[in-house]
Amino acid sequence: MKSVLPVVVGSAWLLVAVPAAPHHAFSSEFDINRPLELTGAVTRVEWTNPHAWLYIETEDDSGNVQNWAIELVGINFLFRRGFTRDKVQVGDVINVRGYGARNGSNNANAALVALANTGEVLWVSARAEDD
């Protein structure tokens, strides 16, 4: 019995010592005053927590290829709204409305994601409905 208590206490300390996953507020990373619309082919899909990510390849006005990382909400939230990992595949062309990163990088937070060929809306946030 005396040897069980130190193991339990030690295990509890290990659990407490594990750092929580960092999370950010929308406004700390993205700029509501930098709305954007993108259309491009999906190059990668990351179905991870705390957020899912879509990576797309677009062309700017000069025809130069740009790679964008599009942040979505958490995968459980997407699942509950019917947006599953098989809805978007590499090569699919999507339309994205969202907000650009504060630092000017090619990162965006999606307010709306739709398939370009059918117009099927896969994700829409309350912010997109306000636009």
Side-chain angles (χ1 to χ4, degrees), residues 34 36-43 55-70 104-107:
R34 191 174 169 224
L36 51 82
E37 292 188 26
L38 302 167
T39 298
V42 174
T43 59
Y55 296 84
I56 64 173
E57 199 171 77
T58 65
E59 286 187 10
D60 64 14
D61 294 336
S62 302
N64 299 315
V65 173
Q66 294 184 330
N67 294 300
W68 281 83
I70 311 297
S105 66
N106 286 358
N107 291 328

Side-chain angles (χ1 to χ4, degrees), residues 4 13 31 33 41 47-48 57 62 66 73 76 79 89 97 100-101 103 114 123 129:
V4 172
W13 276 110
D31 187 352
N33 296 314
W47 212 252
T48 59
E57 199 171 77
S62 302
Q66 294 184 330
V73 294
N76 289 331
F79 275 135
Q89 303 295 319
R97 278 195 338 202
N103 65 8
W123 163 249
E129 293 171 348

